[in-house]
Amino acid sequence: MAKVAINLSTGALQQEEVIVGIDLGTTNSLVAYIHPEDRTPIAINDQGQGTIVPSVVHFTQTGETIVGTAAKDYLTTDPANTIYSVKRLLGKSYNDLGGHQDYFGYKVIDDNSEGLVKVRVQDKFYSPIELSAEILKELRERAEHALKTPVNRAVITVPAYFNDSQRQATRDAGKLAGLEVLRIVNEPTAAALAYGIGLDPEEEKTVAVYDLGGGTFDISILSIHQGIFEVLSTNGDTYLGGDDFDRAIINHWIQNNELIADTVNQDKHLSQELRLKAEEAKKTLSSQQVYAGTIDGKIDCHLERHTFETLIAPIVARTIESCRMAMADAKLQPEQIAAVIMVGGSTRVPMVYEAVSTFFGKQANNSLNPDEVVALGAAIQADILAGNRKDILLLDVTPLTLGIETMGGLMDSIIPRNSKVPTKAGRQYTTSIDGQVNMKISVYQGERDLVKENRKLAEFDLKGIPAMPAGFPKVDVNFILNADGILKVEAIELRSGTRQEVEVKPQYGLTDAQVEQMLLDSITHAREDVSTRMVIEARTTAEQMIYQVERFVEKNREHLTPDEIALTTANVQRLKEVLGTGDKDTILKAVDILEEQTSPFAERIMQISIKQAMAGKKIE
Ligand code: AMP
């Protein structure tokens, strides 16, 4: 039960507020809290319904929602009104779904392929945020019911590979469910915390978290030092999991019983029965050697453990290949991994356990319930945030560079990739044209030198810069990346104090594969990018120079000789001609000639204006 305290000023009884930890999963979700007396994390089991809440939302004909186990029953009877796997849609556009649009049994709207996806149920449209909020509301109500206290604050977990957009969407879903989301925590970090790893600030170790659920797989390598959790690398497959084991079993039975796959697919009753039996067989084989079953006494559904293992061996091998890649990215050898943590229901399969333990050369940790471990860790994090434990920082790294567009469409990086978050960085900019009162700030993410090759996150105008000559205004652009990986960009003109900021909620998310592709592209194009950057920089310098010189001549014509004007015009003309050549050296040479020729002018004009000023001054 929650602790009770007395408000000393009013004498009223106050209940100490519980902060819950939530694992908002693709297939299943859970809510956990720290028991106030024995201080252990506990997954909430409201009214004996079990701790697991299937992440399924069903809409009734009257538009009401049913969430969890009761909703799951409608998956086969009313698929169009029953939403599952909504986590796969969070923060994503239709394009982001790649070839997986058909995966969903309900209607995913594709009318605006750049915008965030929506789901159509009956005649209404729902965003994945709203649908996730329904699941969170259910978890919140269960927690309130079980703990008999209001629950307003939570820590929610997300996969380590979730990008800004997906994290922000998760946060928004929490808000919509009436929860103040104190922190978005990476699932592997939560799993490590549940095993007590990282709670001692003196501890330094590297751990692997292997998470094989129903439909997703990921492996994360975490480094923990001084209470800081750093994701060194992640790998996985967002469309691989226990469901693939079930499918392998079904196909095996179809073959053994000489059934036609197409006929089975069309027979709703039969395919549903096969699915249920396959999952039952798989679970049975986690503790026994043989499963014997039939469907309607006609179809033979027996399975032996070694046959099952032959069937799933290629799938398990794929997960081990991901582990190998994650280790290579983290530049580590298996013996450098201090502990391996098992997460997700499918890690109960003995063959999976053995394969992972063999790969890492040590017995994996599976003493905690693999379905609950992430929620338990989230509850521990909530407890830390409530100030009940020594302060422990959770740190991640940003996977891609964040920066802004500068002259010529170049990317100016402000927070480099792999920077630890939270972090803050900034740079000073100025205007390029006299009297410029607005400055466009375009924020990009990516590794390429040209912004057009990167991904635009946001754009805004800093308005109201006082009119000054080019180069005079001082505009500080600051990037603040918070612990959840959400970026705030602020621009301040220092002389006037004009200020503008945006919180970056990217229009659409990036898949893991896209992040990888962006990194690969940056390596492949590194050389050509460098030369393009140099040409653009030379061209920008030249354009600025032409602008300044032309303005100068126009203003100070009376103080220059006709020869000087003619020579300047010729040199400017020459520079304009070579601008288009794309040859950096030729451009810079022409810039040097013009600069050398015109630099004495500035001094002369200064002398003249000083003389004029002196002449105008009355000396008493
Ligand atoms: P999760 O997404 O973590 O809730 O994992 C759910 C997956 O774990 C489903 O594919 C289940 O069939 C699978 N699962 C649950 N219990 C077992 C078990 N005892 N043996 C094998 N797989 C299981």
Side-chain angles (χ1 to χ4, degrees), residues 27-28 52 211-215 241-243 245-246 279 282-284 286 343-349 370-371:
T27 359
N28 294 314
I52 290 175
D211 183 347
L212 188 61
D243 299 348
F245 295 173
D246 301 349
E279 191 176 11
K282 173 183 74 175
K283 288 184 179 175
T284 306
S286 287
V343 180
S346 301
T347 58
R348 291 199 180 92
V349 173
D371 293 315

Side-chain angles (χ1 to χ4, degrees), residues 216-364:
T216 62
F217 164 65
D218 53 83
I219 170 84
S220 309
I221 311 295
L222 305 183
S223 149
I224 297 137
H225 46 94
Q226 296 164 346
I228 293 170
F229 286 70
E230 191 181 332
V231 181
L232 297 182
S233 64
T234 67
N235 206 295
D237 187 334
T238 47
Y239 287 88
L240 186 144
D243 299 348
D244 295 295
F245 295 173
D246 301 349
R247 263 190 291 276
I249 297 175
I250 295 169
N251 290 340
H252 171 74
W253 285 341
I254 288 178
Q255 270 180 8
N256 270 10
N257 288 284
E258 292 181 352
L259 299 171
I260 313 283
D262 281 351
T263 328
V264 174
N265 285 340
Q266 273 156 28
D267 184 339
K268 279 249 159 69
H269 167 73
L270 182 55
S271 57
Q272 167 74 349
E273 279 297 308
L274 276 169
R275 228 171 42 78
L276 293 175
K277 281 272 183 294
E279 191 176 11
E280 192 178 280
K282 173 183 74 175
K283 288 184 179 175
T284 306
L285 293 177
S286 287
S287 55
Q288 288 164 41
Q289 293 296 330
V290 189
Y291 171 81
T294 67
I295 293 174
D296 304 335
K298 283 187 281 213
I299 298 169
D300 171 21
C301 295
H302 86 270
L303 192 63
E304 288 174 7
R305 191 189 279 183
H306 80 262
T307 314
F308 171 60
E309 292 184 344
T310 317
L311 293 174
I312 64 167
I315 307 170
V316 177
R318 273 168 63 196
T319 70
I320 298 299
E321 188 47 34
S322 283
C323 295
R324 204 183 308 283
M325 289 195 274
M327 291 292 283
D329 283 349
K331 300 192 176 56
L332 290 173
Q333 297 301 321
E335 55 275 14
Q336 292 170 280
I337 299 292
V340 182
I341 294 165
M342 298 299 250
V343 180
S346 301
T347 58
R348 291 199 180 92
V349 173
M351 188 195 199
V352 170
Y353 180 81
E354 289 308 324
V356 175
S357 299
T358 305
F359 175 77
F360 286 102
K362 55 187 64 65
Q363 291 301 311

Side-chain angles (χ1 to χ4, degrees), residues 46-283:
D46 181 28
Q47 296 177 323
Q49 299 181 74
T51 55
I52 290 175
V53 178
S55 306
V56 183
V57 182
H58 172 68
F59 288 84
T60 64
Q61 288 309 318
T62 52
E64 282 157 78
T65 52
I66 301 174
V67 177
T69 312
K72 206 175 165 186
D73 296 340
Y74 291 97
L75 277 175
T76 40
T77 56
D78 190 7
N81 296 314
T82 311
I83 316 300
Y84 58 93
S85 283
V86 67
K87 185 173 176 178
R88 294 186 188 281
L89 302 175
L90 263 184
K92 296 209 169 167
S93 73
Y94 190 74
N95 281 351
D96 289 330
L97 299 180
H100 294 292
Q101 288 90 343
D102 295 341
Y103 171 88
F104 304 94
Y106 44 89
K107 186 93 187 91
V108 179
I109 300 302
D110 58 349
D111 52 358
N112 176 5
S113 54
E114 282 299 287
L116 294 173
V117 292
K118 289 230 166 197
V119 172
R120 184 177 179 157
V121 184
Q122 292 151 22
D123 56 352
K124 286 210 178 84
F125 297 94
Y126 296 91
S127 70
I129 293 174
E130 290 169 296
L131 296 165
S132 303
E134 291 297 327
I135 300 167
L136 291 171
K137 263 187 230 160
E138 172 72 22
L139 294 169
R140 181 185 171 200
E141 278 163 21
R142 282 195 185 200
E144 290 185 332
H145 193 259
L147 306 178
K148 300 191 174 42
T149 177
V151 171
N152 299 313
R153 300 199 288 171
V155 165
I156 304 181
T157 58
V158 297
Y161 57 78
F162 255 29
N163 63 23
D164 294 352
S165 171
Q166 293 164 303
R167 284 166 198 265
Q168 186 62 49
T170 307
R171 197 173 258 284
D172 289 347
K175 220 182 277 171
L176 209 57
L179 290 168
E180 185 190 342
V181 181
L182 297 183
R183 184 69 68 87
I184 298 285
V185 177
N186 286 331
E187 288 162 9
T189 299
L193 279 174
Y195 275 97
I197 296 170
L199 291 175
D200 173 5
E202 301 300 309
E203 191 178 22
E204 278 195 21
K205 56 170 64 156
T206 307
V207 302
V209 181
Y210 178 100
D211 183 347
L212 188 61
T216 62
F217 164 65
D218 53 83
I219 170 84
S220 309
I221 311 295
L222 305 183
S223 149
I224 297 137
H225 46 94
Q226 296 164 346
I228 293 170
F229 286 70
E230 191 181 332
V231 181
L232 297 182
S233 64
T234 67
N235 206 295
D237 187 334
T238 47
Y239 287 88
L240 186 144
D243 299 348
D244 295 295
F245 295 173
D246 301 349
R247 263 190 291 276
I249 297 175
I250 295 169
N251 290 340
H252 171 74
W253 285 341
I254 288 178
Q255 270 180 8
N256 270 10
N257 288 284
E258 292 181 352
L259 299 171
I260 313 283
D262 281 351
T263 328
V264 174
N265 285 340
Q266 273 156 28
D267 184 339
K268 279 249 159 69
H269 167 73
L270 182 55
S271 57
Q272 167 74 349
E273 279 297 308
L274 276 169
R275 228 171 42 78
L276 293 175
K277 281 272 183 294
E279 191 176 11
E280 192 178 280
K282 173 183 74 175
K283 288 184 179 175

Side-chain angles (χ1 to χ4, degrees), residues 254-543:
I254 288 178
Q255 270 180 8
N256 270 10
N257 288 284
E258 292 181 352
L259 299 171
I260 313 283
D262 281 351
T263 328
V264 174
N265 285 340
Q266 273 156 28
D267 184 339
K268 279 249 159 69
H269 167 73
L270 182 55
S271 57
Q272 167 74 349
E273 279 297 308
L274 276 169
R275 228 171 42 78
L276 293 175
K277 281 272 183 294
E279 191 176 11
E280 192 178 280
K282 173 183 74 175
K283 288 184 179 175
T284 306
L285 293 177
S286 287
S287 55
Q288 288 164 41
Q289 293 296 330
V290 189
Y291 171 81
T294 67
I295 293 174
D296 304 335
K298 283 187 281 213
I299 298 169
D300 171 21
C301 295
H302 86 270
L303 192 63
E304 288 174 7
R305 191 189 279 183
H306 80 262
T307 314
F308 171 60
E309 292 184 344
T310 317
L311 293 174
I312 64 167
I315 307 170
V316 177
R318 273 168 63 196
T319 70
I320 298 299
E321 188 47 34
S322 283
C323 295
R324 204 183 308 283
M325 289 195 274
M327 291 292 283
D329 283 349
K331 300 192 176 56
L332 290 173
Q333 297 301 321
E335 55 275 14
Q336 292 170 280
I337 299 292
V340 182
I341 294 165
M342 298 299 250
V343 180
S346 301
T347 58
R348 291 199 180 92
V349 173
M351 188 195 199
V352 170
Y353 180 81
E354 289 308 324
V356 175
S357 299
T358 305
F359 175 77
F360 286 102
K362 55 187 64 65
Q363 291 301 311
N365 285 302
N366 64 352
S367 56
L368 293 174
N369 181 337
D371 293 315
E372 294 180 357
V373 57
V374 168
L376 298 179
I380 295 175
Q381 174 61 33
D383 201 39
I384 295 169
L385 292 174
N388 297 334
R389 299 188 186 224
K390 267 175 277 168
D391 214 354
I392 293 168
L393 206 64
L394 296 185
L395 217 77
D396 295 323
V397 292
T398 176
L400 293 167
T401 298
L402 297 161
I404 69 167
E405 176 177 1
T406 54
M407 296 281 289
L410 285 177
M411 170 89 172
D412 201 14
S413 92
I414 297 199
I415 298 181
R417 94 181 201 87
N418 273 339
S419 296
K420 295 182 174 72
V421 294
T423 186
K424 190 178 165 190
R427 189 154 304 158
Q428 202 166 76
Y429 297 91
T430 187
T431 51
S432 55
I433 298 170
D434 288 344
Q436 186 178 335
V437 290
N438 289 345
M439 191 184 230
K440 182 169 270 168
I441 313 280
S442 304
V443 183
Y444 284 83
Q445 182 178 38
E447 307 313 305
R448 301 290 299 277
D449 277 355
L450 294 180
V451 291
K452 71 174 166 52
E453 314 278 2
N454 290 331
R455 173 172 178 252
K456 191 185 225 168
L457 293 181
E459 186 172 272
F460 65 98
D461 276 321
L462 177 67
K463 293 195 178 123
I465 301 174
M468 282 184 256
F472 271 73
K474 286 188 179 155
V475 177
D476 266 358
V477 175
N478 294 317
F479 276 36
I480 301 130
L481 193 58
N482 74 13
D484 302 333
I486 291 163
L487 177 68
K488 190 161 92 180
V489 179
E490 61 173 22
I492 312 160
E493 200 288 302
L494 296 182
R495 291 171 200 265
S496 61
T498 307
R499 194 173 177 286
Q500 199 89 28
E501 69 172 43
V502 284
E503 190 157 293
V504 176
K505 290 186 189 176
Q507 264 292 292
Y508 54 91
L510 287 178
T511 61
D512 239 10
Q514 284 169 308
V515 170
E516 221 163 84
Q517 193 56 47
M518 284 169 86
L519 293 176
L520 277 178
D521 282 352
S522 73
I523 296 165
T524 327
H525 298 284
R527 193 166 297 175
E528 75 189 69
D529 271 9
V530 169
S531 56
T532 316
R533 173 179 277 274
M534 290 199 302
V535 174
I536 292 176
E537 278 172 354
R539 210 182 279 157
T540 304
T541 311
E543 280 165 356

Side-chain angles (χ1 to χ4, degrees), residues 568-579 586 590 593:
T568 310
T569 313
N571 282 335
V572 165
Q573 190 51 36
R574 162 91 189 122
L575 185 51
K576 282 183 180 169
E577 276 160 21
V578 300
L579 255 187
T586 317
I593 294 172

